[in-house]
Amino acid sequence: MMGRKKRKTTCVEAPGEKSDSRDEYVQDEYVQDEHVRDEKEGVGNERIPGGIVQAKADREEVQESGSRAGIGAAETEAEAENGSEETAEQCFRLQRRRLRFFSVCATLLLIGLAGKLALIQLVDQERYAEVAARQQQIVLEGIDKRGTIYDRNMQPLTGTKEEYVYLIKKDKMDPETKKLLAKIDARKLSSNNDRYELYCCADYHGEESETLQREKEAFIIRAPQRYSEDQTAVHVIGYVNGLDGEGVSGLEKDFDSWLSQRDKLVYAVADGANYIIPGLGIQNSTDRDCGLVTTLDADIQRAAEKILKEEKVKGTVVVAEARSGEILACASEPSFNPNEVKHYLNSTGSEFLNLAAQGLYAPGSVYKIAVAAAALESGSADENTVFECKGYEEINGIRIKCSTGGKTGHGSITLRQAFEKSCNCAFIQLGERTGAQAILETSEKLGLSDKTLTGVSGEKTGNLPLESEVQGAGIGNLSIGQGKLLVTPLEICKMTQIVANDGRSADLKLVRGTVENGVLTPFSGKAEEQILSAETARTLQSFMVDTVAKGTANNLSGLSAGGKTGSAEATEDGKEVVHGWFTGFLPAEHPEYVVTVFIDQGGSGRASAVPVFGKVAEAINETAGRAPQQALSSSDGR
């Protein structure tokens, strides 16, 4: 058995390798086993031929099985080698694909980084530079950053003057510094800056300013001032809150959201501690300029304001174009300095009141325009209708005097003559003829109970009495513009515009439109409406021209104009007062301008309002030939 086991283990050789020696080894081993077995069986040295044959057969069988085993092992090894080669080839291909993938990704990443760098360098360079710069900037609050308000000729009404702004470190604000600032009459600006206090004044004061710079390390810059000390059209423009810069009144309030969109920064370059770096200066940037274009004419507006100041009166002047209704001037006196609003807060005066839009007054005899219009339109009278004036008119026991007829009155007088002489008696009789209903309806058509401006806040509306309130003696007061009847100067201007424009109403306008970066977006208005017949309007025009030529306004010294005077009785603070009115147009033929003047407690209109009208008319005529400014481009292509 041991010999067989050895034969099985020693036969595992590749075919053809040491086969001869292996056969000899097996043969000898087998003979030895047989010999031992024969001895044990007592056979001795005698060989049996059949055993030899069997041994040979066994040896051949062993050789054949060994050969088969060697061949199988070789085949298995070859297959293993082939499999290893295939696996290596697959791994190599996989690695190559991975390498190509990562190469492509790396290339795309490099291209993306290069594109981003190019974008930063070429396209977004300014934006990133601005961001970086602003990290080193101190934005200066309290300096004008709102959109500009312009007149009709694009003359700025705001930001017309510069002021000197002082930037002083808060730790330098000692009593000596405050004393120097008070000496130059510098006012404090509202600011959220945590390092500096801001003060400004209109003029540069050499000695004090140099001391502040040298000893207090102050920075002094010249910056636009929102309002000048003698700001024009202040009641129209209004003012802004010094704390947050929001509009409080006037156009500043009504168009606050638009005017505050102006993207303007006023800043100084600062160090890491947020202190201004000397020598780098104060800079400003404006990326978007949102302005407002009014209908005002700055020259006529200033002239009207100057005239009221020189006359030393409390009153208002409104100037409008007869055809378009655009307001060229809207002056009111007393006025105020929008830079010093707090000084007027405890005032008992009417500095903040826009008398043209917010003052309610009895119209007096200027209301005779409406009464005459109602009579002509209804046919209750014509220009030649005759009335009797005996110096007074009595209705239901109430006597109303004719202030222009003297003790004996005008006697027989036509409607045309009654208008030019402002005869109360004739107009009371005319009112009775025409009736309260027709007069009140005509008054409504003429705009005496409605707001005259659109898109502008703060305007008050007049008060027309109820028809039941003007029966009996009430018709007398209504016919001469007294009683419960109240109007604003703007409403009287609107009525006059309708007459001057041949009976057509063009809504009064104060704002033409908005402007952004030089492009005007005009506001649309209502279409003209025929309120009075052209015949009635032209008759009234002729009445008003006669009034200037030979009536109550003949003190205009030959001016080509038409108009109507008024003296309105009123009670203020418990005492009787008389307000002066004059409303008219110029020139006399084909009117172009309408002017309404109201003088508070001025007495008769002839004495107080007519002279103001004359001076304003001269200012208008002086500017009429002025060369027009270059027009803005319009967003609608006009």
Side-chain angles (χ1 to χ4, degrees):
M1 296 295 294
M2 291 299 293
R4 294 189 183 277
K5 289 181 180 179
K6 289 181 179 182
R7 282 197 297 271
K8 292 180 180 179
T9 57
T10 57
C11 290
V12 183
E13 292 288 342
E17 294 184 6
K18 301 179 183 181
S19 58
D20 295 337
S21 61
R22 183 180 299 278
D23 289 344
E24 292 175 359
Y25 173 79
V26 172
Q27 182 177 359
D28 292 342
E29 184 178 13
Y30 182 77
V31 171
Q32 290 176 3
D33 289 342
E34 290 294 330
H35 180 70
V36 172
R37 189 182 57 192
D38 289 342
E39 286 181 350
K40 287 183 179 179
E41 292 178 353
V43 178
N45 294 329
E46 188 176 348
R47 292 180 180 272
I48 300 175
I52 295 172
V53 173
Q54 182 66 40
K56 184 177 180 179
D58 290 341
R59 284 197 301 273
E60 292 176 353
E61 181 180 357
V62 170
Q63 290 176 353
E64 184 178 355
S65 61
S67 298
R68 288 196 300 269
I71 293 171
E75 292 177 350
T76 301
E77 185 175 353
E79 291 176 356
E81 289 178 357
N82 291 335
S84 298
E85 292 177 358
E86 293 177 358
T87 300
E89 182 66 22
Q90 291 175 355
C91 290
F92 179 70
R93 287 197 297 270
L94 180 61
Q95 289 176 352
R96 283 196 304 177
R97 286 197 297 269
R98 289 176 177 173
L99 183 60
R100 284 197 297 269
F101 173 76
F102 286 117
S103 298
V104 171
C105 290
T107 301
L108 293 176
L109 180 60
L110 289 174
I111 292 173
L113 290 174
K116 183 64 176 178
L117 289 174
L119 180 67
I120 293 174
Q121 291 293 326
L122 301 178
V123 179
D124 292 336
Q125 179 182 9
E126 293 184 2
R127 182 167 64 89
Y128 282 102
E130 181 181 357
V131 171
R134 289 194 178 188
Q135 292 177 349
Q136 297 177 304
Q137 295 172 0
I138 294 179
V139 178
L140 304 179
E141 303 291 344
I143 296 176
D144 179 27
K145 297 185 290 184
R146 291 170 67 84
T148 303
I149 299 177
Y150 300 92
D151 82 339
R152 64 195 294 109
N153 298 308
M154 294 307 297
Q155 292 188 41
L157 298 176
T158 59
T160 58
K161 293 186 178 180
E162 290 184 331
E163 61 186 348
Y164 291 88
V165 179
Y166 294 74
L167 288 80
I168 304 173
K169 294 179 183 179
K170 290 190 174 182
D171 57 11
K172 297 289 185 179
M173 287 300 299
D174 52 29
E176 183 182 358
T177 302
K178 294 179 179 179
K179 183 178 179 180
L180 286 170
L181 291 170
K183 187 175 181 180
I184 63 176
D185 198 25
R187 70 177 190 278
K188 186 176 181 180
L189 295 176
S190 299
S191 176
N192 296 325
N193 194 290
D194 59 353
R195 297 287 190 181
Y196 292 87
E197 295 282 6
L198 270 66
Y199 286 79
C200 71
C201 62
D203 301 312
Y204 182 81
H205 300 267
E207 182 179 351
E208 291 80 7
S209 298
E210 290 175 3
T211 302
L212 287 169
Q213 286 179 302
R214 182 179 61 254
E215 299 181 7
K216 305 301 179 181
E217 301 177 13
F219 292 89
I220 304 176
I221 63 173
R222 295 178 66 181
Q225 184 179 3
R226 182 66 178 176
Y227 310 116
S228 60
E229 297 300 312
D230 57 346
Q231 177 63 45
T232 188
V234 65
H235 291 100
V236 174
I237 293 171
Y239 64 95
V240 297
N241 189 329
L243 296 176
D244 54 22
E246 292 185 1
V248 175
S249 67
L251 297 179
E252 295 279 25
K253 175 184 177 182
D254 297 330
F255 293 89
D256 180 68
S257 60
W258 174 256
L259 294 170
S260 61
Q261 288 186 63
R262 184 185 188 188
D263 187 13
K264 178 181 179 181
L265 287 177
V266 181
Y267 59 88
V269 181
D271 58 19
N274 210 28
Y275 284 110
I276 296 174
I277 300 176
L280 296 185
I282 308 297
Q283 305 176 38
N284 67 79
S285 65
T286 302
D287 297 327
R288 185 185 185 199
D289 189 1
C290 299
L292 190 69
V293 181
T294 69
T295 63
L296 298 176
D297 184 301
D299 294 336
I300 299 176
Q301 175 71 32
R302 292 191 181 97
E305 293 170 350
K306 182 180 179 182
I307 291 166
L308 286 174
K309 282 183 170 64
E310 289 177 347
E311 293 291 322
K312 298 180 181 180
V313 294
K314 176 181 179 181
T316 183
V317 172
V318 182
V319 181
E321 284 187 337
R323 293 182 179 85
S324 68
E326 290 191 345
I327 296 176
L328 305 180
C330 186
S332 186
E333 185 66 27
S335 187
F336 66 96
N337 182 351
N339 296 316
E340 302 287 351
V341 171
K342 62 181 180 180
H343 293 171
Y344 304 91
L345 295 179
N346 297 323
S347 172
T348 58
S350 53
E351 292 89 352
F352 292 117
L353 188 64
N354 183 353
L355 300 181
Q358 298 170 322
L360 287 171
Y361 310 97
S365 291
V366 294
Y367 185 69
K368 290 173 182 176
I369 297 173
V371 177
L376 294 172
E377 289 283 276
S378 67
S380 65
D382 60 30
E383 60 178 299
N384 296 314
T385 301
V386 178
F387 303 91
E388 291 295 328
C389 173
K390 55 182 182 288
Y392 65 91
E393 193 70 21
E394 189 169 329
I395 305 177
N396 294 345
I398 298 177
R399 179 175 291 191
I400 301 174
K401 291 182 179 181
C402 179
S403 57
T404 61
K407 293 181 178 180
T408 60
H410 295 103
S412 294
I413 189 171
T414 64
L415 177 57
R416 176 179 289 277
Q417 294 170 333
F419 190 97
E420 69 184 50
K421 297 182 183 301
S422 197
C423 176
N424 284 345
C425 293
F427 268 86
I428 292 173
Q429 295 169 32
L430 180 64
E432 291 178 313
R433 275 183 173 224
T434 305
Q437 181 179 356
I439 295 173
L440 293 174
E441 288 177 354
T442 301
S443 299
E444 288 182 0
K445 291 180 180 179
L446 293 171
L448 296 182
S449 61
D450 295 321
K451 289 184 177 181
T452 62
L453 301 171
T454 56
V456 177
S457 65
E459 181 186 2
K460 293 184 178 181
T461 58
N463 177 68
L464 290 178
L466 299 175
E467 187 176 346
S468 60
E469 296 175 326
V470 289
Q471 301 301 318
I475 192 67
N477 280 328
L478 179 66
S479 300
I480 60 174
Q482 295 289 163
K484 294 185 177 181
L485 179 64
L486 296 174
V487 296
T488 68
L490 275 178
E491 289 175 331
I492 295 299
C493 184
K494 172 69 176 292
M495 177 183 70
T496 310
Q497 178 272 322
I498 293 172
V499 172
N501 196 31
D502 294 339
R504 296 187 301 273
S505 171
D507 285 344
L508 297 186
K509 307 174 189 67
L510 195 53
V511 180
R512 277 190 166 181
T514 58
V515 60
E516 181 175 359
N517 297 332
V519 178
L520 175 67
T521 301
F523 291 165
S524 58
K526 294 181 181 179
E528 282 190 350
E529 182 181 0
Q530 193 75 39
I531 302 300
L532 302 175
S533 68
E535 181 182 1
T536 295
R538 288 168 187 157
T539 299
L540 291 171
Q541 290 176 24
S542 67
F543 286 180
M544 297 171 76
V545 171
D546 286 350
T547 301
V548 172
K550 52 185 177 180
T552 55
N554 64 359
N555 54 333
L556 278 176
S557 303
L559 181 68
S560 177
K564 182 70 188 79
T565 56
S567 302
E569 296 178 357
T571 301
E572 290 188 4
D573 299 327
K575 66 177 183 178
E576 298 292 329
V577 297
V578 177
H579 301 310
W581 285 91
F582 186 80
T583 188
F585 53 80
L586 65 144
E589 298 292 330
H590 308 294
E592 296 181 19
Y593 305 98
V594 173
V595 181
T596 297
V597 179
F598 170 82
I599 305 299
D600 187 284
Q601 300 184 37
S604 73
R606 175 184 172 87
S608 63
V610 170
V612 172
F613 178 95
K615 293 180 179 180
V616 172
E618 289 178 4
I620 293 172
N621 289 333
E622 287 176 3
T623 60
R626 179 190 54 203
Q629 300 291 321
Q630 183 176 0
L632 288 172
S633 59
S634 175
S635 61
D636 61 3
R638 290 184 291 178

